Amino acid sequence: MGESVPVRCPDCGHGQQFTAPAYPCPCGSAVAAPLIAGAPAVRLVRRSWDDEWVTVGCSGCGRLDQWPRPELGCPCGAVLRVPVRPATVGAATETAKADALNVAALYLRGVGFRDVGVVRADGHPEAGVDLRGPGVVARVDRGTRPADARAVECLWLNALSESATSAFFSLAGYADEARERADALGVPLFVLDPTGAPRPANGPADGLDRSHA
């Protein structure tokens, strides 16, 4: 289990101890959201998909994943959200790579694709696809060299075989031939800028971004 902090209901003033639940990281470590001791809890009024999740780093391997945001019920009937310390972005190479996956997945959810998650095919890694959701497949290139045309074509073929929308995200940008091939095939290209925000890098990406604005 995670750390325990005192929580007071803003509606009725009732106080109680709350322990953050722990979840299993793929590396085997237990991961719990880092709670902020002494910060006031917030009454949950309505739910939204994006607010249900919080990015938490694993102390064992540095991996960042999304886990349910900590909350608890008060005897008065209120549901309380417990404040969590934000994860630090890009502190290490593996953490930055995990960040890129999370940022890309959040972006795709934000433009209308639900249930987008990291592809984890046990023992059979899927070439060319890092994220998948209903109607969408995506590649997240976390290397230090610009993505090449072959990677773009591989993603396009995966999307074509599933009649899905494709999206390519890259930390290091794209080679000229990759941009040309993406424009010809209609593959949206995004660059993950230093702030972690996906930035459209070609016309199809602009179109995807505007169509779900």
Side-chain angles (χ1 to χ4, degrees):
M1 298 295 288
E3 60 187 303
S4 179
V5 298
V7 177
R8 186 169 299 280
C9 177
D11 283 6
C12 70
H14 175 77
Q16 58 183 307
Q17 286 292 123
F18 174 72
T19 301
Y23 301 94
C25 177
C27 77
S29 300
V31 180
L35 305 178
I36 304 177
V42 178
R43 186 177 185 273
L44 180 61
V45 177
R46 62 179 183 178
R47 295 185 181 276
S48 68
W49 175 261
D50 289 342
D51 288 341
E52 293 293 310
W53 307 94
V54 62
T55 301
V56 180
C58 173
S59 60
C61 67
R63 178 191 181 96
L64 289 182
D65 267 323
Q66 286 192 302
W67 301 106
R69 190 177 292 276
E71 61 182 48
L72 77 158
C74 178
C76 74
V79 177
L80 309 178
R81 282 268 170 82
V82 184
V84 174
R85 290 193 299 272
T88 301
V89 176
T93 300
E94 290 304 316
T95 300
K97 289 180 178 181
D99 257 356
L101 287 171
N102 288 326
V103 166
L106 284 172
Y107 174 83
L108 291 173
R109 293 173 195 154
V111 297
F113 297 105
R114 296 300 184 186
D115 301 324
V116 177
V118 178
V119 173
R120 297 186 183 113
D122 295 337
H124 300 281
E126 186 172 355
V129 174
D130 296 299
L131 299 171
R132 178 185 298 282
V136 65
V137 293
R139 172 74 183 272
V140 184
D141 192 322
R142 294 155 286 168
T144 57
R145 300 181 64 180
D148 59 23
R150 183 177 180 182
V152 170
E153 291 173 350
C154 186
L155 175 63
W156 175 75
L157 288 170
N158 275 289
L160 183 66
S161 67
E162 300 183 24
S163 300
T165 297
S166 63
F168 202 119
F169 299 82
S170 174
L171 283 170
Y174 302 89
D176 290 342
E177 61 269 22
R179 291 178 180 273
E180 292 172 2
R181 196 66 179 133
D183 288 343
L185 297 174
V187 176
L189 301 181
F190 296 87
V191 174
L192 296 170
D193 69 21
T195 68
R199 178 170 52 83
N202 67 347
D206 281 327
L208 179 63
D209 198 64
R210 288 196 303 268
S211 67
H212 294 86

